[in-house]
Amino acid sequence: AQRVTQPEKLLSVFKGAPVELKCNYSYSGSPELFWYVQYSRQRLQLLLRHISRESIKGFTADLNKGETSFHLKKPFAQEEDSAMYYCALRGFSGGYNKLIFGAGTRLAVHP
Amino acid sequence: KAGVTQTPRYLIKTRGQQVTLSCSPISGHRSVSWYQQTPGQGLQFLFEYFSETQRNKGNFPGRFSGRQFSNSRSEMNVSTLELGDSALYLCASSATAGSSYEQYFGPGTRLTVT
């Protein structure tokens, strides 16, 4: 079964601290993994995808197929990073535009 | 480019009624997907339409249906509403299929069933 697990509902850190939002997935094959972010009163938007291997707003995520994980990391959190973060999986058997989302993690960065 | 728009933004219906939600994709986008977001179940895929054809369907009862028009605008319909249908319904559009194409989400329609 395709599943995405985000074990933390809330992650609370101070500004300047490192951040790691965890994401584990279950999929029999080679899925595509994404991180979406939703800032307060804004729509859901793509933050980054594993195939791009890029850093967006200081965030990076590495796909670890052995551990079936795709954790999101940032070395120094900023207050403007406070938002809801969703990990999502796209399995090719389900079609390119079918995303399986995790439950989400709320990141709160305190001054 | 204008983003994905959804109408109405808020809706209150009574159990047993039916409802139609509308989604206008970004100009030029041909794929429209629908998701249901609830506190308990999170974001769940409902279905996807491409060139007026349903390509994928999630695990929802037949009361949930949709369609897409020739201009790529999409509607979803929920018949015989239940209290558990109260949710934020999100629409996402994509230029086409393929791993290089990003999905863009609309602001959602918040449906409350009383």
Side-chain angles (χ1 to χ4, degrees):
Chain A
Q2 301 175 15
R3 187 167 57 246
V4 176
T5 303
Q6 294 180 251
E8 303 136 331
K9 284 189 174 179
L10 172 65
L11 187 61
S12 189
V13 301
F14 287 103
K15 177 182 171 182
V19 167
E20 182 179 46
L21 288 83
K22 290 183 167 43
C23 171
N24 288 89
Y25 67 91
S26 172
Y27 182 76
S28 54
S30 295
E32 195 173 351
L33 275 296
F34 305 83
W35 276 99
Y36 279 82
V37 61
Q38 188 166 31
Y39 300 101
S40 179
R41 290 186 293 278
Q42 293 188 29
R43 58 188 69 189
L44 197 61
Q45 57 186 285
L46 178 66
L47 180 62
L48 52 80
R49 61 181 77 186
H50 89 270
I51 59 172
S52 300
R53 294 182 159 271
E54 56 192 347
S55 173
I56 304 293
K57 299 184 179 183
F59 284 98
T60 58
D62 290 316
L63 180 61
N64 185 322
K65 292 185 178 180
E67 295 182 358
T68 59
S69 68
F70 187 56
H71 303 327
L72 183 68
K73 300 177 184 179
K74 185 169 183 176
F76 307 103
Q78 303 299 315
E79 289 180 67
E80 55 265 31
D81 295 329
S82 295
M84 196 72 184
Y85 291 80
Y86 295 94
C87 182
L89 171 157
R90 180 163 67 189
F92 297 104
S93 64
Y96 282 110
N97 289 327
K98 176 182 178 181
L99 294 171
I100 308 297
F101 284 91
T105 297
R106 179 168 297 284
L107 174 64
V109 182
H110 303 286
Chain B
K1 262 187 182 176
V4 178
T5 58
Q6 293 186 245
T7 56
R9 293 293 310 279
Y10 302 91
L11 206 49
I12 300 176
K13 289 286 187 179
T14 303
R15 198 169 42 179
Q17 288 185 313
Q18 74 165 16
V19 67
T20 299
L21 312 181
S22 181
C23 171
S24 292
I26 291 172
S27 178
H29 283 193
R30 297 168 62 192
S31 168
V32 173
S33 300
W34 289 89
Y35 294 84
Q36 181 196 63
Q37 186 175 24
T38 60
Q41 300 297 318
L43 277 152
Q44 292 185 287
F45 174 80
L46 278 156
F47 29 63
E48 182 209 358
Y49 286 87
F50 181 82
S51 293
E52 303 177 65
T53 301
Q54 186 182 90
R55 288 203 301 195
N56 287 297
K57 193 176 191 311
N59 295 324
F60 279 83
R63 299 185 296 106
F64 291 82
S65 62
R67 59 177 175 169
Q68 187 180 35
F69 302 95
S70 58
N71 62 358
S72 294
R73 190 177 70 84
S74 177
E75 289 181 347
M76 68 163 280
N77 184 276
V78 187
S79 63
T80 320
L81 283 166
E82 300 177 359
L83 295 179
D85 297 333
S86 294
L88 182 67
Y89 290 88
L90 295 175
C91 159
S93 80
S94 176
T96 181
S99 59
S100 60
Y101 293 98
E102 180 180 341
Q103 287 191 66
Y104 294 85
F105 283 83
T109 293
R110 183 162 297 282
L111 171 65
T112 302
V113 181
T114 62

